[in-house]
């Protein structure tokens, strides 16, 4: 303990020294920039401009280093390993942290980044003979010590030397903490199977089916961090992108990103990203509207057709329909005339068609036209003089002939005619040279993306030509009627975005600044095959990290039913299944698994890490007063247990509003009825609808029913399962009857 305290003190002292040096550098670079900018003048600005630019770059690097040191100085590392390389006499000691720090003079590591190759033996290797892959190849050796530290506010509280039993104890201790800080501390407790997913081949896509609480999101974020570490010389963080399910989720992960050194990664939602890519004033109807309407819908036929339409728009079959339509759009945009300057043919239509259909086949349609436009402009520029010279020679030859005419009057008439004609045609060529290309390209009909999409459904006969082999007449009629109603108001649904993004990529292209080289998709079960195919095609990359859980597929009517179908999209992908849940206790997971069994589609049972807690409690009530009494009793019990983050989960928004109305003034904590684009407020009692709780975690969840009960409908079961797998420590059910929450199928609850 004494030795480790001394080492921590030394590390902190050295960090303070480096930090001070870095802060001094910041001042120097700022001064250099000010001086260089002050001396900029028109006569000799290049040197000062270069000085300002290089100092700005140094300033940015120094600021980044200072920020990292300030953030980590109170907890510079979390573990130590002692490793003796094969064939080497001495044992090396490495302290693992969130970033590297080297002794300036010797370049000896003081802290080793958790992403470095040697750190892999901490996460993956047991004590004894181990090996790891490094830049030199496979390194073999003996791991004699794995030590984990508990450091708080710069003080060493405790440490544990890790063997298999101690590792379990450390994990359980970490999982027993509050939900508020667990996401930011995941590095210290990464498990072997999680580590393998994080470090899996970075040159291939990865698809992770992970149970609720298996760490899918944190694995995805750490994989991005690992990718930046490995390829920092080839990729900038701005070239990476996280597609999150909603804005609230982005706020939820905001704290962990700077900790991982990936704060500059683009973070957005799928809807926002696609809207930015396709441009135009298109209104996307909130996806929850359809979810809610399907929950309440009683007409079986209407529900069946609506579900079918959502599934169809996300299918490979719909992609085939769009491809047929794109073929016709390509035909409309293919040049059909020779290109002339005045009366001279410069380029044949055959040559232009070859350029459009073959030479520029790799480009979006409109980019092909831009290239052709440039070719024509170059041709005009190069051949205009040749044409003028040819024309001049023609009229000069004619003048020679005219001058030989013996009749003076006739000779004069022919000479004047020739000179006037020459002047007129030379003028015409000069004028046409300025507008010929523009006028030629203008003849090719162009539309906006939304107009193209509307046109697909505007003519029933044409739509039937594209779909008659895949859709029935009833389906065609329903499709056209449903879509045209919305498109008349320039409205589209989430399900339309796959086709729109795909068409944008094929017709116009995606703007360079919106492209991403590496993409993380969370809650992937809510995406369709076509959505993911379109993203891959439009971004021209297959470096995707796709994480999701089919059991939580509350949007299954438009999402994936199986990750197997993604093999068509990502044939090279590594596929990982994570069935261990690190979030909930055994007691909570037992009830959740009972509900999971109701789905009847052979989803694997979730394996909770062996962490025990209170059995979920069912609180029965008959009236409003009993509801309040039960809540107040539960809140008192929760506070006595020292649990912090508490959420009430109701089935829908309307149900949550009713819960809020009943609780107002009856609980001591301030209440936040969580909306989709909001961040959660600290120390508030959160009320959130089941569909919006996906991806979140709390210390305690109170699942309440006032009016809206859960049925054995597929969507209801998944909504209930999602809600039940949010708590880390305790789960309460509050309803008038157990069947309101489908709890008649379980014996793993206590009734009060």
């Amino acid at each position: 303990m004494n030795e480790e305290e001394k080492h921590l003190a030394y590390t902190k002292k050295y960090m303070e020294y480096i930090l001070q040096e870095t802060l001094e550098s910041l001042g120097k670079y700022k001064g250099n920039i000010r001086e260089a900018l002050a001396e900029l003048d028109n006569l000799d600005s290049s040197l000062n401009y270069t000085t300002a630019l290089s100092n700005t770059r140094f300033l940015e690097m120094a600021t980044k280093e200072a920020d990292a040191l300030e953030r980590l100085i109170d907890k510079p590392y979390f573990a130590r390993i002692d490793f003796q390389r094969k064939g080497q006499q001495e044992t090396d000691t490495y302290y693992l942290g969130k970033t590297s720090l080297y002794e300036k003079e010797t370049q000896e590591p003081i802290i080793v980044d958790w992403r470095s190759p040697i750190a892999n033996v901490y996460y993956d290797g047991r004590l004894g003979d181990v090996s790891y892959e490094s830049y030199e190849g496979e390194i073999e050796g003996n791991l004699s010590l794995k030590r984990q530290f508990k450091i708080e506010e710069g003080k060493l509280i405790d440490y544990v030397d890790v063997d298999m039993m101690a590792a379990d104890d450390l994990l359980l201790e970490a999982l027993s903490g509050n939900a508020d800080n667990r996401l930011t501390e995941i590095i210290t407790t990464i498990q072997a199977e999680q580590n393998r997913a994080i470090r899996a081949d970075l040159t291939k896509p990865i698809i992770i089916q992970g149970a609720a609480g298996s760490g899918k999101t944190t694995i995805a974020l750490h994989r991005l961090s690992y990718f930046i570490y490995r390829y920092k010389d080839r990729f900038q963080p701005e070239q990476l992108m996280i597609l999150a399910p909603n804005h609230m989720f982005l706020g939820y992960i905001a704290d962990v990103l700077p900790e991982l050194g990936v704060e500059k990664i683009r973070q957005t939602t799928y809807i926002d990203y696609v809207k930015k890519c396709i441009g135009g004033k298109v209104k996307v109807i909130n996806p929850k509207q359809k979810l809610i309407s399907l929950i309440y819908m009683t007409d079986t036929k209407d529900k069946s057709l609506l579900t079918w339409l959502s599934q169809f728009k996300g299918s490979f079959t719909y992609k085939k329909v769009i491809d047929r339509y794109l073929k016709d759009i390509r035909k409309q945009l293919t040049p059909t005339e020779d290109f002339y300057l005045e009366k001279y043919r410069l380029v044949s239509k055959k040559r232009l068609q070859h350029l459009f259909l073959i030479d520029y086949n790799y480009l979006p349609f409109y980019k092909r036209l831009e290239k052709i436009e440039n070719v024509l402009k170059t041709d005009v520029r190069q051949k205009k003089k040749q044409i003028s010279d040819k024309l001049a020679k023609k009229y000069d030859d004619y003048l020679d002939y005219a001058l030989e005419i013996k009749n003076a009057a006739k000779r004069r008439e022919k000479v004047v005619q020739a000179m006037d004609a020459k002047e007129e045609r030379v003028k015409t060529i000069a004028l046409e040279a300025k507008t010929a290309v523009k006028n030629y390209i203008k003849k090719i009909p162009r539309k906006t993306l939304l107009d193209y999409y509307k046109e697909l459904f505007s003519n029933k006969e044409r739509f039937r030509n594209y779909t008659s082999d895949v859709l029935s007449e009833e389906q065609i009629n329903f499709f056209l009627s449903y879509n045209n109603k919305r498109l008349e108001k320039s409205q589209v649904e989430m399900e339309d975005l796959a086709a729109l993004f795909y068409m944008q990529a094929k017709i116009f292209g995606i703007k360079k600044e919106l492209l991403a080289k590496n993409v993380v998709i969370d809650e992937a079960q809510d995406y369709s095959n076509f959505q993911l195919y379109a993203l891959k095609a439009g971004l021209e990359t297959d470096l995707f990290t796709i994480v999701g859980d089919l059991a939580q597929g509350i949007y299954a009517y438009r999402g994936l039913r199986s990750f197997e179908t993604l093999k068509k999209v990502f044939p090279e992908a590594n596929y990982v299944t994570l069935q261990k849940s690190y979030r909930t206790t055994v007691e909570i997971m037992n009830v959740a698994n009972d509900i999971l069994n109701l789905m009847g589609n052979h989803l694997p049972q979730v394996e909770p890490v062996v962490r025990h807690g209170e059995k979920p409690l069912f609180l029965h009530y008959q009236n409003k007063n009993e509801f309040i009494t039960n809540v107040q009793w539960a809140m008192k019990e929760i506070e006595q247990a020292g649990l912090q983050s508490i959420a009430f989960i109701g089935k829908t928004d309307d149900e949550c509003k009713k819960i809020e109305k009943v609780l107002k003034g009856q609980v001591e904590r301030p209440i936040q009825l969580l909306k989709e684009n909001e961040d959660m407020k600290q120390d508030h009692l959160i009320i959130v609808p089941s569909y919006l709780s996906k991806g979140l975690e709390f210390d305690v969840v109170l699942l309440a029913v006032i009016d809206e009960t859960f049925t054995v409908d597929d969507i209801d079961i998944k909504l209930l399962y999602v809600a039940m797998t949010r708590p880390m420590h305790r789960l309460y059910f509050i309803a008038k009857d157990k069947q309101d929450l489908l709890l008649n199928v379980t014996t793993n609850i206590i009734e009060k």
Side-chain angles (χ1 to χ4, degrees):
M1 187 70 173
N2 188 37
E3 282 178 17
E4 294 295 4
E5 282 176 337
K6 282 179 182 175
H7 184 82
L8 179 60
Y10 162 75
T11 304
K12 285 180 63 189
K13 198 77 180 166
Y14 193 79
M15 289 176 83
E16 285 166 8
Y17 160 70
I18 295 292
L19 185 57
Q20 184 58 40
E21 200 176 64
T22 305
L23 292 173
E24 285 170 11
S25 298
L26 284 175
K28 185 182 83 175
Y29 295 140
K30 284 176 184 175
N32 290 346
I33 292 166
R34 274 196 301 270
E35 194 177 311
L37 291 175
E39 291 177 11
L40 274 175
D41 56 55
N42 294 328
L43 296 172
D44 182 22
S45 61
S46 59
L47 182 61
N48 288 313
Y49 180 75
T50 305
T51 303
L53 207 62
S54 59
N55 275 276
T56 302
R57 196 156 50 244
F58 292 142
L59 178 65
E60 190 180 326
M61 288 162 61
T63 304
K64 190 176 179 182
E65 186 177 9
D67 287 346
L69 288 169
E70 283 181 332
R71 198 160 50 231
L72 300 175
I73 200 162
D74 280 343
K75 195 171 185 179
Y77 48 80
F78 58 84
R80 165 186 163 179
I81 54 173
D82 288 0
F83 180 77
Q84 184 182 20
R85 190 166 171 166
K86 191 175 180 181
Q88 191 173 285
Q89 291 299 311
E90 67 275 6
T91 298
D92 294 317
T93 295
Y94 301 96
Y95 286 83
L96 309 184
K98 292 178 181 176
T99 191
S100 296
L101 181 67
Y102 293 91
E103 213 282 332
K104 284 204 168 185
E105 280 70 33
T106 64
Q107 283 301 296
E108 287 295 312
I110 296 171
I111 304 170
V112 173
D113 196 298
W114 70 273
R115 297 166 290 188
S116 64
I118 183 67
N120 201 34
V121 301
Y122 171 76
Y123 294 115
D124 233 10
R126 301 185 179 190
L127 296 180
D129 291 338
V130 295
S131 64
Y132 67 92
E133 286 294 327
S134 84
Y135 310 112
E136 307 167 41
E138 188 179 38
I139 305 294
E140 295 180 346
N142 184 270
L143 183 66
S144 56
L145 179 73
K146 284 172 71 174
R147 179 171 287 174
Q148 192 173 111
F149 301 102
K150 188 174 183 181
I151 299 170
E152 291 177 6
E153 296 177 358
K155 290 180 182 175
L156 180 60
I157 308 299
D158 198 4
Y159 72 81
V160 177
D161 287 347
V162 182
D163 55 24
M164 291 308 290
M165 291 302 293
D168 289 343
D169 292 342
L170 285 166
L171 177 62
L172 291 177
E173 185 184 346
L175 298 178
S176 299
N178 291 334
D180 296 339
N181 62 1
R182 200 169 76 84
L183 199 63
T184 59
E185 293 306 316
I186 192 74
I187 293 172
T188 62
T189 56
I190 290 172
Q191 299 300 291
E193 72 270 19
Q194 295 174 322
N195 182 56
R196 282 192 290 275
I198 290 167
R199 295 174 190 254
D201 191 340
L202 293 171
T203 64
K204 291 182 179 178
I206 187 168
I207 299 166
I208 300 173
Q209 157 59 43
S214 61
K216 297 183 295 295
T217 301
T218 48
I219 287 170
L221 298 181
H222 284 71
R223 186 167 165 81
L224 274 185
S225 176
Y226 183 54
F227 182 87
I228 288 172
Y229 177 83
R230 287 290 304 273
Y231 298 116
K232 54 181 173 283
D233 297 330
R234 288 165 55 191
F235 293 94
Q236 295 301 311
E238 293 86 351
Q239 293 176 291
L240 281 64
M241 178 168 67
I242 298 168
L243 289 180
N246 50 53
H247 290 278
M248 185 183 71
F249 187 83
L250 290 173
Y252 182 63
I253 64 170
D255 291 340
V256 78
L257 294 175
E259 295 280 334
L260 295 172
V262 292
E263 62 266 38
K264 286 187 179 178
I265 287 176
R266 189 185 306 147
Q267 304 156 53
T268 183
T269 65
Y270 174 78
I271 290 176
D272 286 349
Y273 178 65
V274 173
K275 278 176 76 174
K276 197 170 276 189
C277 289
I278 66 177
K281 294 177 181 175
V282 58
K283 186 177 188 299
V284 181
I285 299 164
N286 193 321
K288 79 172 184 185
Q289 289 184 21
K290 184 178 278 188
L291 177 67
I292 301 300
S293 66
L294 284 168
I295 289 170
Y296 291 138
M297 200 173 278
T298 53
D299 188 303
T300 312
K301 188 180 178 184
D302 284 353
K303 190 171 185 175
S304 174
L305 279 168
L306 195 56
T307 301
W308 161 79
L309 182 58
S310 295
Q311 285 172 354
F312 180 72
K313 283 184 180 178
S315 68
F316 290 122
T317 310
Y318 191 46
K319 177 201 162 286
K320 191 198 292 183
V321 171
I322 297 296
D323 279 332
R324 289 169 178 173
Y325 180 44
L326 283 167
K327 201 173 176 182
D328 279 355
I329 293 172
R330 185 186 66 185
K331 192 176 176 183
Q332 291 166 22
L333 295 170
T334 304
T336 55
E337 297 177 7
D338 297 333
F339 174 68
Y340 284 87
L341 178 59
E342 207 241 6
K343 294 174 184 176
Y344 292 90
R345 188 177 79 170
L346 297 195
V347 189
S348 70
K349 69 177 180 185
K350 192 175 178 182
R351 168 73 179 138
L352 292 171
Q353 287 169 356
H354 192 278
L355 286 171
F356 187 84
L357 297 172
I358 297 168
D359 289 359
Y360 301 144
N361 182 47
Y362 63 97
L363 290 169
F365 301 159
Y366 277 36
K367 298 283 183 192
R368 298 184 203 183
L369 291 176
E370 284 175 21
K371 292 277 274 186
I372 285 173
E373 190 173 356
N374 289 331
V375 166
L376 295 179
K377 282 178 180 175
T378 302
D379 258 34
V380 168
R381 202 162 46 245
Q382 289 174 348
K383 294 178 182 175
K384 185 175 72 169
K385 189 173 185 312
Q386 292 174 21
I387 291 168
S388 296
D389 291 347
K390 194 175 179 182
L391 197 66
K393 187 177 183 310
K394 176 185 171 183
Y395 280 101
D396 287 346
D397 290 347
Y398 185 77
L399 273 171
D400 288 344
Y401 156 75
L403 288 168
E404 290 177 7
I405 296 172
K406 290 181 180 178
N407 185 305
K410 196 172 181 183
R411 184 173 64 243
R412 191 165 47 249
E413 180 191 345
K414 292 292 181 184
V415 167
V416 169
Q417 275 179 1
M419 290 178 70
D420 286 349
K422 178 184 176 182
E423 186 183 343
E424 185 64 33
R425 288 194 69 186
V426 168
K427 192 190 290 181
T428 301
I429 286 168
L431 285 171
E432 280 196 20
K434 293 176 183 175
T435 59
V437 176
K438 189 179 176 184
N439 290 337
Y440 182 86
I441 295 294
K442 204 191 288 182
K443 288 178 188 175
I444 299 169
R446 303 209 209 183
K447 299 181 179 74
T448 67
L449 177 68
L450 197 58
D451 283 339
Y452 276 124
Y453 198 57
K454 285 177 179 177
E455 197 174 77
L456 175 59
F457 313 107
S458 62
N459 183 302
K460 186 176 179 180
E461 195 54 46
R462 180 176 51 206
F463 187 70
R464 190 187 281 117
N465 286 340
Y466 295 134
T467 58
S468 59
D469 61 330
V470 291
L471 299 182
S472 68
E473 192 65 21
E474 182 187 28
Q475 288 171 333
I476 289 170
N477 289 333
F478 181 75
F479 197 131
L480 294 176
S481 166
Y482 187 86
N483 250 38
N484 286 331
K485 272 181 200 170
R486 283 146 190 82
L487 285 170
E488 281 168 13
K489 303 173 191 171
S490 293
Q491 292 179 337
V492 296
E493 294 185 310
M494 172 81 152
E495 293 90 315
D496 293 298
L497 295 183
L500 284 166
F501 183 82
Y502 185 62
M503 288 172 67
Q504 173 73 31
K506 293 290 183 183
I507 300 170
F508 305 95
I510 307 299
K511 287 180 182 175
K512 193 176 179 181
E513 64 269 21
L514 293 173
L515 294 174
K517 298 289 185 189
N518 195 320
V519 183
V520 161
I521 291 181
D522 207 339
E523 305 293 352
Q525 73 279 354
D526 296 337
Y527 286 69
S528 67
N529 287 310
F530 192 10
Q531 273 179 290
L532 293 167
Y533 183 94
L535 281 170
K536 179 188 169 184
L539 295 173
E540 297 175 5
T541 182
D542 68 351
L543 294 182
F544 279 74
T545 297
I546 296 168
V547 300
D549 179 16
L550 295 170
Q552 297 182 65
I554 60 176
Y555 296 100
Y557 56 87
R558 62 169 165 81
L560 293 169
R561 298 298 180 93
S562 163
F563 286 128
E564 283 293 307
T565 55
L566 289 185
K567 285 179 180 174
K568 280 188 184 178
V569 186
F570 302 103
E572 298 294 312
N574 286 316
Y575 186 89
V576 176
T577 302
L578 301 171
Q579 282 310 116
K580 275 188 185 173
S581 173
Y582 297 95
R583 179 185 297 136
T584 56
T585 61
V586 171
E587 288 73 19
I588 293 171
M589 211 64 240
N590 285 341
V591 184
N593 277 330
D594 288 338
I595 297 299
L596 193 61
N597 287 334
L598 288 172
M599 292 187 205
N601 52 359
H602 310 295
L603 287 164
Q605 292 277 297
V606 180
E607 304 165 23
V609 170
V610 184
R611 178 171 67 89
H612 288 281
E614 302 286 337
K615 263 194 173 187
L617 192 59
F618 178 76
L619 304 174
H620 177 276
Y621 77 93
Q622 286 299 325
N623 52 51
K624 180 182 171 182
N625 288 338
E626 282 186 21
F627 183 93
I628 292 166
T629 303
N630 275 324
V631 169
Q632 289 172 339
W633 175 84
M635 290 295 287
K636 193 173 179 182
E637 194 180 57
I638 291 162
E639 280 167 21
Q640 284 173 353
L643 300 169
Q644 298 297 317
S645 58
I646 307 167
F648 267 85
I649 300 181
K651 186 174 174 181
T652 65
D653 295 294
D654 287 345
E655 182 79 337
C656 285
K657 285 172 188 170
K658 290 170 189 172
I659 293 169
E660 182 191 33
K661 192 176 177 182
V662 172
L663 292 182
K664 254 188 180 169
Q666 304 297 330
V667 289
E668 290 182 13
R669 282 196 186 201
I671 293 172
Q672 181 188 10
L673 180 56
L674 202 59
K675 294 185 173 65
E676 199 162 345
N677 296 328
E678 283 184 342
D679 290 337
M680 286 185 285
K681 295 175 183 173
Q682 287 279 36
D683 301 321
H684 278 59
L685 182 64
I686 304 297
I687 302 177
V688 57
S690 54
Y691 79 91
L692 200 54
S693 70
K694 192 150 55 79
L696 304 180
E697 63 181 29
F698 306 92
D699 290 337
V700 183
V701 163
L702 298 100
L703 225 170
V705 171
I706 291 181
D707 287 329
E708 297 185 21
T709 61
F710 290 83
T711 69
V712 288
D713 181 83
D714 188 61
I715 293 176
D716 276 22
I717 294 169
K718 285 179 177 174
L719 287 171
L720 183 57
Y721 177 75
V722 165
M724 289 171 65
T725 52
R726 297 309 96 203
M728 284 181 64
H729 304 298
R730 292 197 186 180
L731 175 61
Y732 296 84
F733 300 101
I734 308 175
K736 290 177 181 173
D737 191 281
K738 281 200 300 180
Q739 190 53 33
D740 294 347
L741 289 154
L742 307 181
L743 296 175
N744 288 355
V745 299
T746 183
T747 57
N748 291 306
I749 58 169
I750 298 171
E751 294 185 54
K752 177 180 179 296

